[in-house]
Amino acid sequence: MTINHSAEDVDSAYADAPALDDELTWLRARTGAPGFETSREFLLRQAALLDRLARRAAVVPLVRAALAAADHLVAHDIEHHGLSPKGHDLAAAEDHQAYAREAYRDWRHAQNR
């Protein structure tokens, strides 16, 4: 995966994403389910939702939450999927967000096949 930080890449990551309300409903329904909050799908969708919200209303607590969610996804993928931060040049918070966006886009694409 090549990390891309362009605005076009952000738009393409969420082009076919569900409505924000639908995604929030999905996350709420699974919050508290045993083990689900640590699943990759939950972390990925949570990172995407918070990123989309932060892009709409760039308030500091929301931006921080979006960055933290991307960090959690990266940490999960390092631990469970062999992600190499050095190999993907994941040095800064922006890199983690870009990784989360691209992972979400790839996941959505796979879901729509």
Side-chain angles (χ1 to χ4, degrees):
M1 177 184 300
T2 302
I3 304 302
N4 186 339
H5 296 279
S6 72
E8 297 83 23
D9 189 61
V10 174
D11 293 339
S12 73
Y14 304 130
D16 66 344
L20 291 170
D21 288 343
D22 293 340
E23 199 73 318
L24 183 58
T25 299
W26 187 93
L27 287 165
R28 279 187 181 158
R30 283 146 186 91
T31 298
F36 205 87
E37 288 181 47
T38 58
S39 74
R40 186 174 196 272
E41 182 179 5
F42 184 90
L43 296 172
L44 183 62
R45 292 175 81 161
Q46 179 183 48
L49 175 70
L50 290 169
D51 186 35
R52 291 168 65 197
L53 290 170
R55 291 186 69 234
R56 280 188 166 196
V59 293
V60 173
L62 192 50
V63 171
R64 285 185 183 148
L67 290 170
D71 290 346
H72 288 298
L73 176 65
V74 168
H76 178 274
D77 284 1
I78 289 168
E79 183 177 344
H80 299 285
H81 299 283
L83 174 67
S84 168
K86 187 175 181 181
H88 284 82
D89 198 22
L90 297 174
E94 301 83 35
D95 301 328
H96 291 197
Q97 274 193 308
Y99 173 82
R101 289 172 184 146
E102 291 185 28
Y104 184 81
R105 184 191 61 229
D106 293 347
W107 176 80
R108 288 290 302 162
H109 179 73
Q111 298 300 308
N112 292 329
R113 286 185 187 186

